[in-house]
Amino acid sequence: MSGGDNIHPVFDRMLGRQVKEARLGQRGIVIWLYGLSGSGKSTIAIALERRLADEGFFTQILDGDNIRSGLNRNLGFSDEDRTENIRRIAEVAKLFAQAGVVTLTSFITPRRDLRELAREVVGAEDFCEVYVEASFAACAERDPKGLYAKAAGGGVSQFTGKDSAFEEPEAPDLRIPTEHLSVEDAVELLYQHVIRRIQPN
Ligand code: ADP
């Protein structure tokens, strides 16, 4: 049974998004950070979240730690599973944004069609596409999780940038070139880009 016929929307009886955003004093948004492993997504997400929290904003980070180990633990790294991974993350991010939460996601999202899918699921008006840019060589040099060394020895299957492609974006909302910026300046760039979108009307 598909279940589709048995879903009875109750949206008209649920507390609306505007009420929640007014209560929180902010607007919900999904800040979709993507780029190679080691490019700086988590570092920037964590630092921005702390800064926003200090200013009274209510936030949530979705990353590999809280998604791949739980909701998506049955998914691997095939093309099909990467698509399903992103689809589910985008659906969850959308729920957070609709509850008024400033939502930061930190996933490689290696293909353009995956970024498009995320934008479509979340809705363009709530979606902020941020390319955290660093070359494969720079990320391999940083190797914060030891994954590049492991992948070089053949210990990681379908490693992005080596065995599976990372497609450069054409027109992200924001590009953060982390090879040329300090962490502080990278966070400042993102903060300046998103602050107006999360402030209440
Ligand atoms: P990802 O989440 O993309 O896999 P991480 O944030 O875990 O990457 O690691 C990025 C590494 O790069 C960290 O060691 C961080 O200190 C370093 N780094 C250097 N410059 C920057 C920058 N401008 N922005 C973010 N990270 C940077």
Side-chain angles (χ1 to χ4, degrees):
M1 189 169 66
S2 76
D5 292 344
N6 296 322
I7 295 173
H8 300 285
V10 289
F11 297 131
D12 56 339
R13 287 185 279 136
M14 284 161 58
L15 203 57
R17 173 175 182 166
Q18 284 179 337
V19 177
K20 295 176 185 176
E21 291 186 331
R23 172 66 61 90
L24 293 168
Q26 63 185 43
R27 279 188 286 164
I29 189 179
V30 175
I31 303 167
W32 194 278
L33 301 167
Y34 65 96
L36 290 174
S37 177
S39 59
K41 303 178 294 298
S42 311
T43 302
I44 292 170
I46 290 165
L48 182 70
E49 176 171 63
R50 288 197 181 280
R51 176 157 179 194
L52 292 177
D54 285 345
E55 295 183 10
F57 289 99
F58 188 58
T59 57
Q60 176 66 43
I61 294 178
L62 301 178
D63 64 13
D65 285 344
N66 56 22
I67 294 287
R68 277 264 182 207
S69 61
L71 177 68
N72 290 356
R73 71 175 164 218
N74 63 325
L75 300 177
F77 293 86
S78 64
D79 283 354
E80 198 177 290
D81 278 8
R82 282 185 194 260
T83 302
E84 179 59 9
N85 182 47
I86 295 302
R87 189 192 68 78
R88 289 186 202 170
I89 294 161
E91 290 284 358
V92 172
K94 177 185 179 176
L95 291 174
F96 274 101
Q98 287 179 340
V101 180
V102 176
T103 309
L104 295 140
T105 70
S106 171
F107 297 94
I108 298 173
T109 333
R111 305 193 316 260
R112 288 190 198 110
D113 67 299
L114 297 175
R115 271 107 64 175
E116 277 313 304
L117 172 65
R119 181 183 290 272
E120 217 169 273
V121 169
V122 169
E125 64 288 354
D126 291 331
F127 193 75
C128 182
E129 184 189 322
V130 180
Y131 178 34
V132 181
E133 182 177 15
S135 66
F136 185 88
C139 294
E141 173 91 7
R142 291 176 184 167
D143 205 8
K145 296 167 203 135
L147 282 176
Y148 284 81
K150 204 168 157 192
V156 184
S157 70
Q158 306 198 57
F159 192 68
T160 307
K162 177 176 171 277
D163 318 299
S164 94
F166 182 87
E167 296 175 357
E168 290 289 315
E170 273 155 7
D173 296 312
L174 180 68
R175 190 182 282 266
I176 305 181
T178 63
E179 278 175 74
H180 309 293
L181 293 174
S182 65
V183 172
E184 293 70 28
D185 288 348
V187 174
E188 177 67 21
L189 186 64
L190 182 56
Y191 176 87
Q192 291 302 336
H193 187 79
V194 300
I195 188 64
R196 271 179 216 87
R197 289 184 68 175
I198 65 178
Q199 276 164 338
N201 287 318

